[in-house]
Amino acid sequence: MKKRGRPKKISTTPVHATVDFNQIVKLKDICIDERMFQQMESGLALDQLISHEGGVPNATNIMLFGDPGSGKTTLLLDLLASIQLKNPTRKCLFISGEMGKKQMFKYTQRFPQFGVVETLFTSDYTDHNTKSVLEQALNIGWDLILIDSIAEILDGVRNDNGWDRKVAESWLVDECVKNNKGENTSNKFTTFLLIQQVTKGGIFVGSNKMKHMVDASAEIRKEKESEGGGTYVMFNKNRNGLVDNKLYFQLTGTQIVYSNVEASKVEE
């Protein structure tokens, strides 16, 4: 039986060939395109939680996970739409692997601000290879991409290519890093907002590979009634901003109401 998965990379360089170490540099001499340090402001309270500068940094990967129905998609769509409205020249994309056009139409009627977001529905491309569709879409070049959810996208890629989860995750990591570095037709230093699922028991779906590759990881939690019963988002890992600080929010009929950040711990 033929083993599935990505073929092993075979190096043509002799094992004991002399290595050129000219790539070793002093940290002060590293040259980085200044556009990679820009922030995308949304005007929401989330800006201060995500980065010390206030906004979503370019060339960054941010993961959000939480219980089913906790508000992950709504929260990040609100962030994406707000950035698009505040920065019309930015290119933002929502890749929906969870909901189709009918569901999103009803969703947008409830939250009209979502209407400005360009959206790719993977359900519209079932006759194509999911891997190819996503690679070509990403190669267009975007400032900010929201993927909902990682699990659904990986399942599509696995089914279309006969890959196991490990290989599919490696592919997605490679694509994120490639576009972080601006390797797309528009030379956009893409930031990814990645929604990941958890089981009803709160267990993270998939391996920890994706968690390790992201620059920031946040979760949505709902407190017990004895603790106030509020819903909040909090980063447990953040290379650009605060960790262990709770930002409470509430979903109303047509909008998301944010409270002030509760400073339970400030990153030093």
Side-chain angles (χ1 to χ4, degrees):
M1 181 177 177
K2 187 176 180 180
K3 187 176 180 180
R4 293 180 173 179
R6 179 186 294 178
K8 292 183 178 179
K9 294 181 179 179
I10 301 176
S11 174
T12 57
T13 304
V15 175
H16 298 293
T18 302
V19 179
D20 184 353
F21 289 108
N22 286 334
Q23 294 299 318
I24 295 179
V25 298
K26 292 182 179 179
L27 294 180
K28 68 181 181 65
D29 295 328
I30 295 177
C31 294
I32 302 293
D33 192 308
E34 63 179 15
R35 289 176 296 164
M36 296 184 75
F37 298 103
Q38 294 177 355
Q39 311 289 318
M40 292 174 277
E41 295 183 7
S42 68
L44 303 175
L46 280 168
D47 287 350
Q48 303 305 317
L49 194 68
I50 293 173
S51 73
H52 294 302
E53 294 78 13
V56 180
N58 283 359
T60 302
N61 300 310
I62 300 172
M63 179 182 290
L64 179 66
F65 58 96
D67 295 329
S70 60
K72 301 182 297 296
T73 303
T74 306
L75 191 78
L76 291 188
L77 262 178
D78 193 41
L79 179 64
L80 189 76
S82 297
I83 287 175
Q84 186 67 87
L85 287 167
K86 192 175 180 63
N87 309 270
T89 59
R90 291 284 192 177
K91 286 178 60 64
C92 300
L93 178 68
F94 173 41
I95 298 178
S96 177
E98 296 272 345
M99 292 186 283
K101 289 181 177 178
K102 179 180 178 181
Q103 293 85 354
M104 282 306 303
F105 176 79
K106 294 178 65 177
Y107 204 19
T108 304
Q109 285 185 312
R110 181 181 175 189
F111 298 99
Q113 67 270 31
F114 297 169
V116 300
V117 176
E118 291 193 64
T119 304
L120 184 157
F121 295 95
T122 57
S123 58
D124 288 341
Y125 300 91
T126 54
D127 291 338
H128 295 75
N129 185 290
T130 304
K131 171 179 175 289
S132 178
V133 169
L134 294 178
E135 286 176 349
Q136 291 182 55
L138 297 185
N139 192 50
I140 293 172
W142 306 85
D143 293 294
L144 184 61
I145 295 178
L146 167 59
I147 296 180
D148 182 21
S149 65
I150 294 174
E152 288 293 333
I153 294 301
L154 292 182
D155 283 346
V157 171
R158 289 175 61 195
N159 292 336
D160 290 347
N161 296 279
W163 288 354
D164 60 25
R165 179 168 292 277
K166 182 178 180 181
V167 174
E169 286 183 343
S170 294
W171 166 80
L172 183 56
V173 169
D174 289 346
E175 283 300 308
C176 288
V177 172
K178 173 184 172 182
N179 285 277
N180 289 157
K181 296 188 294 185
E183 296 177 6
N184 47 63
T185 56
S186 300
N187 189 216
K188 296 281 189 180
F189 298 104
T190 309
T191 287
F192 288 88
L193 304 175
L194 306 164
I195 292 177
Q196 183 58 304
Q197 299 172 342
V198 296
T199 66
K200 290 184 178 180
I203 300 174
F204 187 83
V205 174
S207 72
N208 288 323
K209 184 178 182 67
M210 293 299 298
K211 290 176 68 175
H212 293 319
M213 65 80 64
V214 298
D215 301 283
S217 176
E219 59 182 324
I220 291 179
R221 294 296 181 200
K222 183 175 177 57
E223 296 175 330
K224 298 178 180 178
E225 291 300 327
S226 60
E227 299 172 342
T231 302
Y232 64 87
V233 57
M234 180 178 71
F235 282 93
N236 48 53
K237 169 186 176 181
N238 195 348
R239 293 170 180 161
N240 300 295
L242 303 174
V243 295
D244 294 339
N245 287 63
K246 298 177 181 178
L247 173 61
Y248 288 87
F249 66 93
Q250 182 178 4
L251 303 182
T252 67
T254 58
Q255 61 181 335
I256 303 175
V257 179
Y258 298 90
S259 302
N260 293 328
V261 175
E262 180 182 273
S264 55
K265 175 181 176 183
V266 178
E267 184 182 54
E268 298 180 353

mmCIF file with all atom_site columns, all heavy atoms in Angstrom, residues 1 20 46 55 96 109 137 154 162 171 194 237 265:
data_model
loop_
_atom_site.group_PDB
_atom_site.id
_atom_site.type_symbol
_atom_site.label_atom_id
_atom_site.label_alt_id
_atom_site.label_comp_id
_atom_site.label_asym_id
_atom_site.label_entity_id
_atom_site.label_seq_id
_atom_site.pdbx_PDB_ins_code
_atom_site.Cartn_x
_atom_site.Cartn_y
_atom_site.Cartn_z
_atom_site.occupancy
_atom_site.B_iso_or_equiv
_atom_site.pdbx_formal_charge
_atom_site.auth_seq_id
_atom_site.auth_comp_id
_atom_site.auth_asym_id
_atom_site.auth_atom_id
_atom_site.pdbx_PDB_model_num
ATOM 1   N N   . MET A 1 1   ? 0.843   -1.200 0.000  1.00 0.00 ? 1   MET A N   1
ATOM 2   C CA  . MET A 1 1   ? 0.000   0.000  0.000  1.00 0.00 ? 1   MET A CA  1
ATOM 3   C C   . MET A 1 1   ? 0.874   1.245  0.000  1.00 0.00 ? 1   MET A C   1
ATOM 4   O O   . MET A 1 1   ? 1.822   1.359  0.783  1.00 0.00 ? 1   MET A O   1
ATOM 5   C CB  . MET A 1 1   ? -0.916  0.007  1.234  1.00 0.00 ? 1   MET A CB  1
ATOM 6   C CG  . MET A 1 1   ? -1.841  1.207  1.292  1.00 0.00 ? 1   MET A CG  1
ATOM 7   S SD  . MET A 1 1   ? -2.943  1.108  2.731  1.00 0.00 ? 1   MET A SD  1
ATOM 8   C CE  . MET A 1 1   ? -3.803  2.662  2.545  1.00 0.00 ? 1   MET A CE  1
ATOM 9   N N   . ASP A 1 20  ? 28.620  27.789 3.694  1.00 0.00 ? 20  ASP A N   1
ATOM 10  C CA  . ASP A 1 20  ? 28.919  29.219 3.664  1.00 0.00 ? 20  ASP A CA  1
ATOM 11  C C   . ASP A 1 20  ? 28.093  29.897 4.756  1.00 0.00 ? 20  ASP A C   1
ATOM 12  O O   . ASP A 1 20  ? 26.869  29.925 4.699  1.00 0.00 ? 20  ASP A O   1
ATOM 13  C CB  . ASP A 1 20  ? 28.565  29.801 2.291  1.00 0.00 ? 20  ASP A CB  1
ATOM 14  C CG  . ASP A 1 20  ? 28.940  31.278 2.167  1.00 0.00 ? 20  ASP A CG  1
ATOM 15  O OD1 . ASP A 1 20  ? 29.352  31.873 3.176  1.00 0.00 ? 20  ASP A OD1 1
ATOM 16  O OD2 . ASP A 1 20  ? 28.790  31.822 1.069  1.00 0.00 ? 20  ASP A OD2 1
ATOM 17  N N   . LEU A 1 46  ? -9.983  46.126 21.066 1.00 0.00 ? 46  LEU A N   1
ATOM 18  C CA  . LEU A 1 46  ? -9.072  45.024 20.759 1.00 0.00 ? 46  LEU A CA  1
ATOM 19  C C   . LEU A 1 46  ? -7.682  45.525 20.370 1.00 0.00 ? 46  LEU A C   1
ATOM 20  O O   . LEU A 1 46  ? -6.684  44.819 20.580 1.00 0.00 ? 46  LEU A O   1
ATOM 21  C CB  . LEU A 1 46  ? -9.647  44.168 19.626 1.00 0.00 ? 46  LEU A CB  1
ATOM 22  C CG  . LEU A 1 46  ? -10.729 43.154 20.001 1.00 0.00 ? 46  LEU A CG  1
ATOM 23  C CD1 . LEU A 1 46  ? -11.393 42.622 18.739 1.00 0.00 ? 46  LEU A CD1 1
ATOM 24  C CD2 . LEU A 1 46  ? -10.134 42.017 20.809 1.00 0.00 ? 46  LEU A CD2 1
ATOM 25  N N   . GLY A 1 55  ? -3.159  48.164 17.621 1.00 0.00 ? 55  GLY A N   1
ATOM 26  C CA  . GLY A 1 55  ? -3.553  47.734 16.287 1.00 0.00 ? 55  GLY A CA  1
ATOM 27  C C   . GLY A 1 55  ? -3.029  46.344 15.992 1.00 0.00 ? 55  GLY A C   1
ATOM 28  O O   . GLY A 1 55  ? -2.309  45.737 16.796 1.00 0.00 ? 55  GLY A O   1
ATOM 29  N N   . SER A 1 96  ? -14.128 31.617 4.470  1.00 0.00 ? 96  SER A N   1
ATOM 30  C CA  . SER A 1 96  ? -15.132 30.917 5.258  1.00 0.00 ? 96  SER A CA  1
ATOM 31  C C   . SER A 1 96  ? -15.193 29.439 4.882  1.00 0.00 ? 96  SER A C   1
ATOM 32  O O   . SER A 1 96  ? -15.637 29.082 3.793  1.00 0.00 ? 96  SER A O   1
ATOM 33  C CB  . SER A 1 96  ? -16.512 31.557 5.058  1.00 0.00 ? 96  SER A CB  1
ATOM 34  O OG  . SER A 1 96  ? -17.497 30.839 5.777  1.00 0.00 ? 96  SER A OG  1
ATOM 35  N N   . GLN A 1 109 ? -27.023 40.544 7.972  1.00 0.00 ? 109 GLN A N   1
ATOM 36  C CA  . GLN A 1 109 ? -28.213 41.331 8.277  1.00 0.00 ? 109 GLN A CA  1
ATOM 37  C C   . GLN A 1 109 ? -28.229 41.732 9.750  1.00 0.00 ? 109 GLN A C   1
ATOM 38  O O   . GLN A 1 109 ? -28.693 42.817 10.111 1.00 0.00 ? 109 GLN A O   1
ATOM 39  C CB  . GLN A 1 109 ? -29.479 40.531 7.939  1.00 0.00 ? 109 GLN A CB  1
ATOM 40  C CG  . GLN A 1 109 ? -29.767 40.435 6.456  1.00 0.00 ? 109 GLN A CG  1
ATOM 41  C CD  . GLN A 1 109 ? -31.077 39.737 6.173  1.00 0.00 ? 109 GLN A CD  1
ATOM 42  O OE1 . GLN A 1 109 ? -31.369 38.668 6.726  1.00 0.00 ? 109 GLN A OE1 1
ATOM 43  N NE2 . GLN A 1 109 ? -31.902 40.334 5.320  1.00 0.00 ? 109 GLN A NE2 1
ATOM 44  N N   . ALA A 1 137 ? -5.539  31.972 -4.105 1.00 0.00 ? 137 ALA A N   1
ATOM 45  C CA  . ALA A 1 137 ? -6.197  33.103 -3.448 1.00 0.00 ? 137 ALA A CA  1
ATOM 46  C C   . ALA A 1 137 ? -5.197  33.894 -2.613 1.00 0.00 ? 137 ALA A C   1
ATOM 47  O O   . ALA A 1 137 ? -5.170  35.133 -2.656 1.00 0.00 ? 137 ALA A O   1
ATOM 48  C CB  . ALA A 1 137 ? -7.347  32.609 -2.577 1.00 0.00 ? 137 ALA A CB  1
ATOM 49  N N   . LEU A 1 154 ? -8.142  22.447 6.888  1.00 0.00 ? 154 LEU A N   1
ATOM 50  C CA  . LEU A 1 154 ? -7.230  21.303 6.861  1.00 0.00 ? 154 LEU A CA  1
ATOM 51  C C   . LEU A 1 154 ? -7.945  20.034 6.437  1.00 0.00 ? 154 LEU A C   1
ATOM 52  O O   . LEU A 1 154 ? -7.371  19.200 5.724  1.00 0.00 ? 154 LEU A O   1
ATOM 53  C CB  . LEU A 1 154 ? -6.573  21.121 8.234  1.00 0.00 ? 154 LEU A CB  1
ATOM 54  C CG  . LEU A 1 154 ? -5.594  22.201 8.666  1.00 0.00 ? 154 LEU A CG  1
ATOM 55  C CD1 . LEU A 1 154 ? -4.994  21.860 10.027 1.00 0.00 ? 154 LEU A CD1 1
ATOM 56  C CD2 . LEU A 1 154 ? -4.478  22.381 7.636  1.00 0.00 ? 154 LEU A CD2 1
ATOM 57  N N   . GLY A 1 162 ? -5.143  13.388 0.011  1.00 0.00 ? 162 GLY A N   1
ATOM 58  C CA  . GLY A 1 162 ? -4.752  12.142 0.652  1.00 0.00 ? 162 GLY A CA  1
ATOM 59  C C   . GLY A 1 162 ? -3.674  12.328 1.701  1.00 0.00 ? 162 GLY A C   1
ATOM 60  O O   . GLY A 1 162 ? -2.870  11.422 1.943  1.00 0.00 ? 162 GLY A O   1
ATOM 61  N N   . TRP A 1 171 ? 1.821   22.253 5.591  1.00 0.00 ? 171 TRP A N   1
ATOM 62  C CA  . TRP A 1 171 ? 1.519   23.041 4.391  1.00 0.00 ? 171 TRP A CA  1
ATOM 63  C C   . TRP A 1 171 ? 0.939   24.402 4.773  1.00 0.00 ? 171 TRP A C   1
ATOM 64  O O   . TRP A 1 171 ? 1.356   25.437 4.243  1.00 0.00 ? 171 TRP A O   1
ATOM 65  C CB  . TRP A 1 171 ? 0.517   22.292 3.503  1.00 0.00 ? 171 TRP A CB  1
ATOM 66  C CG  . TRP A 1 171 ? -0.091  23.165 2.456  1.00 0.00 ? 171 TRP A CG  1
ATOM 67  C CD1 . TRP A 1 171 ? 0.457   23.547 1.259  1.00 0.00 ? 171 TRP A CD1 1
ATOM 68  C CD2 . TRP A 1 171 ? -1.376  23.823 2.539  1.00 0.00 ? 171 TRP A CD2 1
ATOM 69  N NE1 . TRP A 1 171 ? -0.405  24.392 0.600  1.00 0.00 ? 171 TRP A NE1 1
ATOM 70  C CE2 . TRP A 1 171 ? -1.531  24.577 1.351  1.00 0.00 ? 171 TRP A CE2 1
ATOM 71  C CE3 . TRP A 1 171 ? -2.388  23.837 3.497  1.00 0.00 ? 171 TRP A CE3 1
ATOM 72  C CZ2 . TRP A 1 171 ? -2.672  25.341 1.108  1.00 0.00 ? 171 TRP A CZ2 1
ATOM 73  C CZ3 . TRP A 1 171 ? -3.521  24.588 3.252  1.00 0.00 ? 171 TRP A CZ3 1
ATOM 74  C CH2 . TRP A 1 171 ? -3.651  25.330 2.067  1.00 0.00 ? 171 TRP A CH2 1
ATOM 75  N N   . LEU A 1 194 ? -6.527  33.388 12.704 1.00 0.00 ? 194 LEU A N   1
ATOM 76  C CA  . LEU A 1 194 ? -6.844  31.975 12.549 1.00 0.00 ? 194 LEU A CA  1
ATOM 77  C C   . LEU A 1 194 ? -7.775  31.503 13.659 1.00 0.00 ? 194 LEU A C   1
ATOM 78  O O   . LEU A 1 194 ? -7.430  31.577 14.844 1.00 0.00 ? 194 LEU A O   1
ATOM 79  C CB  . LEU A 1 194 ? -5.555  31.146 12.573 1.00 0.00 ? 194 LEU A CB  1
ATOM 80  C CG  . LEU A 1 194 ? -4.470  31.579 11.574 1.00 0.00 ? 194 LEU A CG  1
ATOM 81  C CD1 . LEU A 1 194 ? -3.136  30.958 11.945 1.00 0.00 ? 194 LEU A CD1 1
ATOM 82  C CD2 . LEU A 1 194 ? -4.868  31.180 10.154 1.00 0.00 ? 194 LEU A CD2 1
ATOM 83  N N   . LYS A 1 237 ? -0.619  34.022 25.029 1.00 0.00 ? 237 LYS A N   1
ATOM 84  C CA  . LYS A 1 237 ? 0.685   34.177 24.375 1.00 0.00 ? 237 LYS A CA  1
ATOM 85  C C   . LYS A 1 237 ? 0.578   35.381 23.463 1.00 0.00 ? 237 LYS A C   1
ATOM 86  O O   . LYS A 1 237 ? -0.370  35.496 22.697 1.00 0.00 ? 237 LYS A O   1
ATOM 87  C CB  . LYS A 1 237 ? 1.039   32.927 23.556 1.00 0.00 ? 237 LYS A CB  1
ATOM 88  C CG  . LYS A 1 237 ? 2.246   33.085 22.638 1.00 0.00 ? 237 LYS A CG  1
ATOM 89  C CD  . LYS A 1 237 ? 2.436   31.848 21.764 1.00 0.00 ? 237 LYS A CD  1
ATOM 90  C CE  . LYS A 1 237 ? 3.577   32.020 20.787 1.00 0.00 ? 237 LYS A CE  1
ATOM 91  N NZ  . LYS A 1 237 ? 3.749   30.818 19.911 1.00 0.00 ? 237 LYS A NZ  1
ATOM 92  N N   . LYS A 1 265 ? -2.876  41.116 34.650 1.00 0.00 ? 265 LYS A N   1
ATOM 93  C CA  . LYS A 1 265 ? -1.428  40.955 34.571 1.00 0.00 ? 265 LYS A CA  1
ATOM 94  C C   . LYS A 1 265 ? -0.948  41.711 33.350 1.00 0.00 ? 265 LYS A C   1
ATOM 95  O O   . LYS A 1 265 ? -1.513  41.586 32.278 1.00 0.00 ? 265 LYS A O   1
ATOM 96  C CB  . LYS A 1 265 ? -1.041  39.475 34.454 1.00 0.00 ? 265 LYS A CB  1
ATOM 97  C CG  . LYS A 1 265 ? 0.450   39.232 34.254 1.00 0.00 ? 265 LYS A CG  1
ATOM 98  C CD  . LYS A 1 265 ? 0.737   37.747 34.117 1.00 0.00 ? 265 LYS A CD  1
ATOM 99  C CE  . LYS A 1 265 ? 2.194   37.477 33.810 1.00 0.00 ? 265 LYS A CE  1
ATOM 100 N NZ  . LYS A 1 265 ? 2.470   36.031 33.612 1.00 0.00 ? 265 LYS A NZ  1
#
